[in-house]
Amino acid sequence: MKYSAVLSILILSACGCNRNEVRTKLLNEQEILKDSANNITERIGGYIQKGVYDSAEAKKKQLGTVHARLIDIQSSIDSLEKMK
């Protein structure tokens, strides 16, 4: 995944995109996804309390996807920092 993140940054740089703009967009997306992860976690707790375990499992998968994207974003931010 780190390779694809670095490749994306290189492509954006080649297209003339400003690193600060890319970093700002990544940070904005990261903040939104953190909020989403918190909301999903709360929903999982609610489903478990109600005994709706199938829905809780579905939300856990969704949470895993959000966490994977957060890792990719952090990797991209780290790569941008290394390019300075």
Side-chain angles (χ1 to χ4, degrees), residues 16-71:
C17 294
N18 185 338
R19 269 189 243 161
N20 289 331
E21 290 175 17
V22 173
R23 186 174 186 279
T24 300
K25 288 178 183 179
L26 289 170
L27 290 172
N28 288 339
E29 183 179 359
Q30 184 180 48
E31 188 64 33
I32 291 167
L33 288 174
K34 284 180 182 179
D35 289 341
S36 293
N38 290 334
N39 291 335
I40 293 168
T41 301
E42 288 177 15
R43 284 190 213 129
I44 291 170
Y47 286 136
I48 291 173
Q49 285 180 345
K50 293 177 185 176
V52 187
Y53 299 108
D54 290 341
S55 295
E57 286 301 316
K59 288 296 178 183
K60 285 181 183 178
K61 289 179 184 178
Q62 185 180 13
L63 184 60
T65 302
V66 171
H67 281 155
R69 180 63 186 140
L70 283 167
I71 291 168

